[in-house]
Amino acid sequence: MKRSEITSALRKAAIGYLVKKGFGANAELGIIPWGKRKVDVIGVTMRGHIVIMEIKSCVADFTTDSKWHTYLDYCHQFYLVFTEKTWKSIAKSYTFSGVGVMVLDSKTGFLRAVKSCPRYEVQEDVHRSLILRLAWRNAIFSKRTTRRNRVFLT
C-alpha cells in the first residue's frame, strides 16, 4: 500500500473518531497565517475544546518530523495517529510525554487510544484565532470558494 493511501486512511479514521465523539472535524488547517504550519486533522466541540491529530504513516514520517511539538500550544489535547505496524516499530524506542497516541486497529477498522492525552490550556488569543479560522474556512461563501460576479438589474 502506498504511503499516501495509508495517510488518507488514517485521516479518514481520525475524522470519524472525532465526529463520533461530538467534534466538528477539519483536515489540513493552517494554524498560523500563510499556511506555515498545517495540522493534519483538527476537531472542535461546541464548547470550543480543540483537539489536533497528527497523522504518521510510517516510521520515517515520524522520525523526520520535528514540527509536531509546536502544535501543543494550539490545542487542548494532541494525538499522534499511527498504523499498528508503525506503532509496534516505535513504541519502545520513544517516550510520548505530553501527547496521546491513537492506533488504527486492523480488526475493527477504528482508532483506539493506546496512550491517553493530558489536557492543556490554550491562550485566549490563540483560541480565538483558531475558532475564527475554522469559521472562515467552513463558510459556504468566502474568497476561497466564491468568485465575484457582476450583477445587473434590468
Side-chain angles (χ1 to χ4, degrees):
M1 186 176 265
K2 293 181 188 176
R3 187 171 158 187
S4 61
E5 292 171 337
I6 294 169
T7 300
S8 180
L10 289 172
R11 183 181 301 115
K12 186 176 180 180
I15 290 169
Y17 177 87
L18 288 172
V19 169
K20 174 72 175 156
K21 294 293 185 180
F23 287 79
N26 285 274
E28 293 292 324
L29 180 77
I31 58 173
I32 59 175
W34 308 108
K36 292 179 182 175
R37 288 278 190 258
K38 285 185 181 179
V39 296
D40 292 331
V41 177
I42 187 168
V44 63
T45 64
M46 287 297 289
R47 291 187 174 201
H49 181 79
I50 297 170
V51 171
I52 292 176
M53 297 178 131
E54 189 67 9
I55 308 296
K56 297 297 162 207
S57 59
C58 62
V59 175
D61 184 18
F62 174 70
T63 56
T64 59
D65 184 3
S66 60
K67 70 183 183 318
W68 66 262
H69 295 283
T70 63
Y71 298 155
L72 298 176
D73 293 335
Y74 295 91
C75 60
H76 296 101
Q77 290 181 294
F78 181 88
Y79 289 93
L80 292 166
V81 180
F82 300 106
T83 62
E84 285 181 333
K85 181 181 175 184
T86 303
W87 175 243
K88 286 176 184 175
S89 298
I90 64 172
K92 294 178 182 170
S93 305
Y94 295 93
T95 58
F96 295 92
S97 60
V99 301
V101 175
M102 297 251 179
V103 174
L104 182 60
D105 191 312
S106 61
K107 292 183 180 102
T108 65
F110 295 118
L111 287 182
R112 63 181 164 81
V114 295
K115 185 176 180 313
S116 61
C117 178
R119 289 182 73 126
Y120 294 103
E121 290 299 317
V122 179
Q123 291 179 9
E124 195 171 320
D125 59 330
V126 170
H127 189 260
R128 181 178 181 274
S129 172
L130 283 173
I131 297 296
L132 290 174
R133 196 173 292 277
L134 284 164
W136 184 85
R137 179 181 190 189
N138 290 309
I140 294 171
F141 304 106
S142 71
K143 218 174 183 179
R144 261 177 15 112
T145 61
T146 307
R147 186 170 172 250
R148 186 174 83 162
N149 296 310
R150 294 177 183 261
V151 177
F152 297 99
L153 296 175
T154 56

